[in-house]
Amino acid sequence: MTTVLTPASPLTAADRCDRCGAQAYLRVVLASGGELLFCAHHGRKFEPELKKIAVEIQDESGRLTSTTATAADDER
């Protein structure tokens, strides 16, 4: 997938997959000016078709594998 390096606006928890309603991690901008939102699962599932119709694909699925510390190292 093509990743947009400087997205206009990051996806939030309020952005939902158009297919299943889960949190969206991919925004697909269409040549017609519309956009589709997908969870990581459906983004991978429809990737071949999306590449054919997308002008841009904003892929934030990398956030699923990154973890942040909620406590300082000395508190663990």
Side-chain angles (χ1 to χ4, degrees), residues 17-19 23-26 28 36-40 42-43 46 50:
C17 176
D18 290 328
R19 182 71 180 174
Q23 184 173 349
Y25 287 94
L26 282 92
V28 180
L36 299 170
L37 300 176
F38 291 101
C39 64
H42 284 111
F46 299 123
L50 293 174

Side-chain angles (χ1 to χ4, degrees), residues 14-64:
D15 294 309
R16 310 312 286 181
C17 176
D18 290 328
R19 182 71 180 174
C20 69
Q23 184 173 349
Y25 287 94
L26 282 92
R27 175 181 284 130
V28 180
V29 179
L30 305 173
S32 64
E35 72 176 25
L36 299 170
L37 300 176
F38 291 101
C39 64
H41 164 78
H42 284 111
R44 284 189 301 271
K45 181 177 180 179
F46 299 123
E47 180 179 4
E49 292 82 14
L50 293 174
K51 284 183 172 181
K52 294 175 188 176
I53 62 169
V55 174
E56 294 179 355
I57 297 177
Q58 177 182 341
D59 185 352
E60 296 183 11
S61 60
R63 294 188 304 154
L64 290 169

